[in-house]
Amino acid sequence: MAAIVSVVSSTPNAAAASSLSKEKMKLGSCNFNSLLWQGKRPSFATPKSLSKVTMSVATNVSRFESITMAPPDPILGVSEAFKADTHEMKLNLGVGAYRTEDLQPYVLNVVKKAENLMLESGENKEYLPIEGLVAFNKATAELLFGADNSVIQQQRVATVQGLSGTGSLRLAAALIERYFPGAKVLISSPTWGNHKNIFNDAKVPWSEYRYYDPKTVGLDFDGMISDIKAAPEGSFVLLHGCAHNPTGIDPTPEQWVKIADVIEEKNHIPFFDVAYQGFASGSLDEDASSVRLFASRGMELLVAQSYSKNLGLYAERIGAINVVCSSADAATRVKSQLKRLARPMYSNPPVHGARIVANVVGNPVLFNEWKEEMKMMAGRIKSVRQKLYDSICAKDKTGKDWSYILKQIGMFSFTGLNKAQSDNMTNKWHVYMTKDGRISLAGLSSAKCEYLADAIIDSFYNVS
Ligand code: PGU
């Protein structure tokens, strides 16, 4: 850490003194304070013009000296490394962000249309209420549960607009910390990397339940059920509503029923993270079926939503936290406390993304167009998934079963590559991915499937 020192001259020349006093010199990693303390003159190259200077104090060692460098983020840091690579075949399969076949970011047509409508109506930039845009909150809860769902009809859902999926999860974590002190959140092993950070920062204890079975590259259903059973009664169980991140492995409808059974039996509280509604199957309703199953049993539950992927609103930070309560009265009180938690954190949420969602969902023409675009995006991901699988099978003559790639759903494929193999993908093949072996198929074009297949086969067989 560099220390900065102001130097004052002993020369009688006032002008020179003043100019020198303004001079700042960097001392590199030298601990200047401690040198002064020891009565030693710090050794550094002194410019000639400063040769008569006495070091009459004014040290400024940073008060942040003890703060160490944070590691790069395991997901978002991958994009930074990708940008720095100049290789022509480089591929960014790190972050889960949809790209076109030309590997360009995609702004949905319905989003552009909604933005035009917003411009035309000349909306202002006044603060939103703490809970967010009322029309958005209504639209988002109805999209999740279905407008005719009894939880909506009976006004049993407390919905508060959040700062996308992450901010909504964080708000829920704050609610758990405040009103369920000591309660544990169970998270899948593995899970989206930020889940642990969110609960750690909110001071909510968590532990993991088994989810991924490396032997089958599939779901460890028995392990999952027995870990949920073994957890202290009344724990929160974090579930990925669809398109599990990072594995791409979802329970079957029958397995969801059994998961709901054990959660109910143990009096746990289901806590859904729904970051990919419509993106997994291409259907908004189908991707919400896990959440709706739990709601239909009359269970109380939490659901964090995100519009980053399904509407491509990544940077708008638009999402929501929904708390389904057993009475409308409880929902009103929960909502008031969510607002109280939000107020000192960020006061009130941003308006732009909320208006886009409300306009798209509230306009039947745009809503239908959105569904078509979502199907198109989900379809492109499915087609590169198929092509990648076909390319790998055609190139790999060992007879290894790669069918798990096809069984996975959503943006990601969990390749089963270990850290060393994932490093080889990046260092040798310029394929950027997370070190847990996850690739985002949303960042793959069909033109690059063959290349990726070569990279995976090389890494799998030639690196241990
Ligand atoms: N929950 C899950 C399961 C996610 O995968 C993501 C995004 C989020 C919540 C939060 O998304 P928001 O943008 O806050 O709505 N995961 C992506 C995006 C990059 C990241 O890590 O934030 C990913 O690549 O895993």
Side-chain angles (χ1 to χ4, degrees), residues 21 32 80 90 106 137 177 236 256 328 345 368 412 424:
S21 70
F32 188 59
E80 288 164 33
K90 69 175 182 173
Y106 180 61
N137 286 346
E177 193 270 333
F236 289 81
W256 273 121
M345 276 204 249
N368 281 330
F412 302 112
N424 185 65

Side-chain angles (χ1 to χ4, degrees), residues 32 35-36 39-44 46 50-55:
F32 188 59
L35 287 172
L36 283 185
K40 291 180 192 158
R41 191 188 162 93
S43 71
F44 54 88
T46 311
L50 299 179
S51 54
K52 285 192 175 169
V53 163
T54 53
M55 306 303 297

Side-chain angles (χ1 to χ4, degrees), residues 182-232:
K184 218 188 215 184
V185 175
L186 299 184
I187 57 181
S188 63
S189 172
T191 192
W192 174 49
N194 214 16
H195 280 150
K196 292 177 185 172
N197 300 333
I198 289 169
F199 294 114
N200 282 341
D201 278 10
K203 306 202 168 14
V204 172
W206 53 266
S207 65
E208 294 180 309
Y209 60 82
R210 277 168 283 173
Y211 192 84
Y212 172 69
D213 181 354
K215 288 194 286 300
T216 58
V217 197
L219 180 63
D220 179 0
F221 184 65
D222 293 340
M224 176 182 187
I225 291 292
S226 61
D227 289 348
I228 293 175
K229 250 188 202 159

Side-chain angles (χ1 to χ4, degrees), residues 396-416:
D396 181 9
K397 308 292 179 206
T398 68
K400 175 180 156 55
D401 181 9
W402 293 92
S403 63
Y404 60 81
I405 295 177
L406 288 184
K407 289 184 197 136
Q408 296 166 349
I409 189 164
M411 271 190 164
F412 302 112
S413 177
F414 210 47
T415 58

